[in-house]
């Protein structure tokens, strides 16, 4: 096993009407342009995605959306997200959904933060 230190501060906000905090939280963590990352079905059908986008707009926080996350997220979508973040100057990734959306968002953030390393190589290094 290779030695390493892992530090990944994450705040997960969950509960009734927790989406109301989205603009406050983005600003709290210094976000100036957001990637709203989601799966699709339930986030869209429930109205949650529209609500979050409306709240960001009302707070004058620019955002770009990237949906389509599936269970066991695809590397191809993460690579698309990395390219999108780099092109758009995204500095905040907001995962709207469950574990697969969160995992995909983490993969995108690793790719943006490590532009000289292919994302899959990062996972392979962690596995040893």
């Amino acid at each position: 096993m290779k030695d390493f230190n892992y530090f990944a501060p994450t705040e997960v906000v969950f509960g009734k009407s927790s989406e109301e905090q989205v603009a406050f939280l983005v600003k709290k963590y210094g976000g100036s342009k957001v990637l709203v990352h989601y799966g699709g079905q339930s986030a869209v059908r429930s109205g949650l995605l529209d609500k979050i986008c409306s709240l960001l707009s009302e707070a004058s926080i620019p955002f770009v959306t990237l949906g389509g996350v599936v269970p066991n997220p695809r590397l191809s979508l993460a690579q698309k997200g990395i390219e999108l973040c780099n092109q758009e100057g995204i500095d905040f990734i907001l995962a709207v959904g469950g574990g697969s959306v969160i995992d995909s968002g983490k993969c995108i953030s690793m790719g943006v933060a490590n532009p000289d390393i292919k994302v899959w190589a990062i996972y392979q290094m962690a596995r040893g």
Side-chain angles (χ1 to χ4, degrees):
M1 176 195 272
K2 295 180 182 177
D3 295 335
F4 67 92
N5 291 335
Y6 179 74
F7 176 73
T10 300
E11 181 171 355
V12 176
V13 179
F14 182 85
K16 187 175 181 179
S17 300
S18 59
E19 73 277 4
E20 298 288 341
Q21 301 175 53
V22 69
F24 167 78
L25 291 167
V26 168
K27 290 177 180 179
K28 174 182 173 181
Y29 290 106
S32 63
K33 191 165 185 183
V34 178
L35 175 67
V36 180
H37 195 42
Y38 63 100
Q41 300 301 320
S42 62
V44 173
R45 195 171 40 247
S46 70
L48 179 61
L49 183 64
D50 286 340
K51 175 83 183 250
I52 285 174
C53 292
S54 293
L55 290 166
L56 291 172
S57 292
E58 289 170 16
S60 299
I61 299 171
F63 63 91
V64 176
T65 61
L66 178 62
V69 178
V70 295
N72 299 313
R74 305 296 183 259
L75 184 58
S76 58
L77 184 64
Q79 289 168 329
K80 182 177 178 181
I82 293 164
E83 292 171 15
L84 186 60
C85 286
N86 289 329
Q87 290 169 357
E88 296 286 336
I90 302 292
D91 60 9
F92 193 99
I93 299 172
L94 178 64
V96 180
S100 292
V101 176
I102 293 169
D103 289 345
S104 184
K106 290 186 293 186
C107 184
I108 293 168
S109 69
M110 285 192 313
V112 172
N114 299 284
D116 297 329
I117 302 173
K118 293 187 184 239
V119 173
W120 191 247
I122 294 170
Y123 283 101
Q124 288 176 318
M125 287 187 292
R127 291 177 60 205

